[in-house]
Amino acid sequence: MMLRFAAVAITICLLLAAGAAAAKAPVDAQLLKRGRAIAQANCGRCHAVGPRGQSANPKSPPFRDLARKYPLHNLEEALAEGIVVGHEGVEMPQFRLSAMQIEALLAYLESIQR
């Protein structure tokens, strides 16, 4: 009897966990979609923002390789305050992102790292 109860409890827990993961997936997909759109709009003229392709500016690293050089979570503050750097003569556009935009962009960046 106790073994049967444990099996039922485990099954219920697994079903609940699977349901929570399935319910979360569309939110994550939307978050990633927003993050990609932010990357493309603000950075796509120089950086390769997708999982493949070359950067239009060879001095601008592809976003899929950023984690090799920088801890991605360190970008949060710079994105909030406004990034002001360049790539050897090519100035990056200055922009500031909201907390929600930063969350989306960082989630997207994490999703494409090699």
Side-chain angles (χ1 to χ4, degrees):
M1 182 70 158
M2 190 63 140
L3 188 58
R4 183 174 177 196
F5 176 76
V8 170
I10 290 171
T11 301
I12 290 171
C13 287
L14 290 174
L15 288 172
L16 289 173
K24 189 176 179 184
V27 173
D28 289 344
Q30 285 299 99
L31 185 70
L32 296 178
K33 185 177 179 179
R34 285 195 315 271
R36 180 176 174 87
I38 292 165
Q40 188 63 50
N42 292 290
C43 315
R45 74 179 172 109
C46 293
H47 293 272
V49 298
R52 292 179 296 286
Q54 298 297 316
S55 293
N57 175 5
K59 304 291 183 184
S60 303
F63 277 6
R64 66 185 169 273
D65 296 333
L66 287 180
R68 292 179 183 180
K69 296 181 179 188
Y70 316 99
L72 293 179
H73 65 274
N74 286 356
L75 294 174
E76 187 171 354
E77 185 176 342
L79 291 168
E81 293 179 2
I83 294 179
V84 183
V85 296
H87 299 295
E88 295 184 29
V90 178
E91 291 302 313
M92 286 181 40
Q94 185 175 1
F95 58 89
R96 290 183 182 172
L97 301 178
S98 70
M100 290 177 63
Q101 290 172 315
I102 292 168
E103 176 188 13
L105 180 57
L106 290 179
Y108 174 70
L109 291 176
E110 288 176 13
S111 76
I112 62 168
Q113 295 310 296
R114 292 196 277 181

